[in-house]
């Protein structure tokens, strides 16, 4: 991304900036149309993951308390080990209730996924500016297509890695906020204390974020061919095949 943006800036500050030629027809071609889809899907990817907020709820019965609701609110970037359940009552069940934290820190996978989506979003904007306004410069300067190709290949690979990393983390998040957490809560094992799992916020939006990650991976992977066609590598191979 950085190399492409630096090249873009060098174009914008050069005398050739006066050669701005707006051509929105490129958006109907595969190179531009796919870039628009990548831009849109990257928005959905970081919005569905980064905007999530939820809570898991238990029903606790102990000394002087019957079916009291205790909650633990969690959100992106999912550092669950810092999330604590609320106390059942001011007396904390006669002193038998200690602070109960969720288990796991999944911030690295979540932040990797969201950061990639944001960077992809910004890169798509820069690329569309070049495609629409400076397509002639893009075609005349061989560095632009090659840089675009390199970024597209790397981004497709990063979408693969980040999506599967985030999908694995999401499965662990569901385990760490579901009914299976009760056996690990020491306060629920105190004499006269019982805990029942009540509910957890639906994670459908997080499931959707994984889907958008996969779609982005497919889009960027498929776009490699269309970017490659604009490079000297494709032109050279084409000339070789024609001469042979």
């Amino acid at each position: 991304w950085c190399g492409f943006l630096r090249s873009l800036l060098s174009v914008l500050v050069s005398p050739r900036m006066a050669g701005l030629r707006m051509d929105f027809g490129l958006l109907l071609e595969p190179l531009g149309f796919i870039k628009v889809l990548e831009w849109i899907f990257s928005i959905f990817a970081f919005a569905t993951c980064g905007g999530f907020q939820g809570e898991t709820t238990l029903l606790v019965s102990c000394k002087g308390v019957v079916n009291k609701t205790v909650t633990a609110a969690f959100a992106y970037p999912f550092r669950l080990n810092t999330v604590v359940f609320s106390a059942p009552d001011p007396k904390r069940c006669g002193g038998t209730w200690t602070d109960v934290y969720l288990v796991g820190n999944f911030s690295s996978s979540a932040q990797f996924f969201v950061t990639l989506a944001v960077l992809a979003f910004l890169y798509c904007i820069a690329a569309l500016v070049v495609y629409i306004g400076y397509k002639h410069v893009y075609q005349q300067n061989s560095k632009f297509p090659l840089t675009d190709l390199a970024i597209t290949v790397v981004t497709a690979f990063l979408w693969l890695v980040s999506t599967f990393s985030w999908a694995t983390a999401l499965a662990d998040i569901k385990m760490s906020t579901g009914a299976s957490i009760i056996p690990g809560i020491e306060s629920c094992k105190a004499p006269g204390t019982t805990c029942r799992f009540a509910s957890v916020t639906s994670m459908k939006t997080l499931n959707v974020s994984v889907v958008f990650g996969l779609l982005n991976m497919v889009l960027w992977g498929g776009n490699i061919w269309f970017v490659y066609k604009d490079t000297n590598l494709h032109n050279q191979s084409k000339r070789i095949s024609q001469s042979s």
Side-chain angles (χ1 to χ4, degrees):
W1 298 284
C2 294
F4 186 84
L5 292 176
R6 281 197 296 267
S7 301
L8 173 61
L9 289 175
S10 66
V11 170
L12 296 181
V13 299
S14 69
R16 282 185 288 183
M17 181 178 180
L20 175 65
R21 303 173 188 174
M22 301 297 290
D23 182 12
F24 289 96
L26 185 71
L27 299 180
L28 301 179
E29 299 178 10
L31 187 66
F33 182 70
I34 293 177
K35 191 62 66 180
V36 172
L37 291 180
E38 291 172 347
W39 177 67
I40 295 173
F41 284 8
S42 65
I43 295 175
F44 283 110
F46 68 72
T48 51
C49 179
F52 181 83
Q53 291 184 334
E55 63 178 25
T56 184
T57 305
L58 305 179
L59 294 178
V60 178
S61 297
C62 57
K63 184 178 181 181
V65 176
V66 178
N67 285 341
K68 176 67 176 182
T69 299
V70 298
T71 60
F74 58 95
Y76 174 86
F78 306 103
R79 294 187 179 92
L80 301 187
N81 57 342
T82 64
V83 177
V84 63
F85 278 98
S86 57
D89 67 322
K91 296 182 179 180
R92 304 175 71 86
C93 292
T96 62
W97 184 271
T98 57
D99 287 340
V100 176
Y101 290 85
L102 294 177
V103 177
N105 183 351
F106 307 99
S107 59
S108 59
S109 297
Q111 289 176 325
F112 179 26
F113 183 82
V114 170
T115 300
L116 175 61
V118 172
L119 290 176
F121 165 78
L122 296 175
Y123 174 73
C124 287
I125 293 177
L128 286 171
V129 169
V130 174
Y131 291 169
I132 295 172
Y134 298 94
K135 180 62 175 178
H136 58 291
V137 179
Y138 178 88
Q139 292 175 331
Q140 293 170 2
N141 189 338
S142 61
K143 292 182 180 179
F144 275 100
L146 288 174
T147 303
D148 196 13
L149 176 62
I151 292 176
T152 302
V153 171
V154 171
T155 305
F157 174 74
L158 290 178
W159 273 119
L160 170 66
V161 175
S162 66
T163 299
F164 280 94
S165 175
W166 168 232
T168 302
L170 178 57
D172 293 335
I173 289 171
K174 292 178 179 179
M175 290 288 294
S176 298
T177 57
S180 60
I181 64 176
I182 292 181
I185 301 177
E186 294 299 326
S187 296
C188 293
K189 301 175 183 178
T193 300
T194 58
C195 300
R196 291 189 297 114
F197 181 78
S199 65
V200 64
T201 302
S202 173
M203 299 187 189
K204 290 181 180 179
T205 56
L206 297 182
N207 293 335
V208 171
S209 71
V210 174
V211 174
F212 277 112
L214 294 173
L215 289 175
N216 274 292
M217 179 187 69
V218 172
L219 277 175
W220 285 85
N223 197 30
I224 292 175
W225 167 248
F226 296 104
V227 178
Y228 170 73
K229 287 174 64 177
D230 280 343
T231 65
N232 289 336
L233 300 176
H234 178 261
N235 295 331
Q236 290 173 0
S237 63
K238 188 176 180 180
R239 286 194 296 268
I240 293 173
S241 63
Q242 288 176 345
S243 62
S244 62

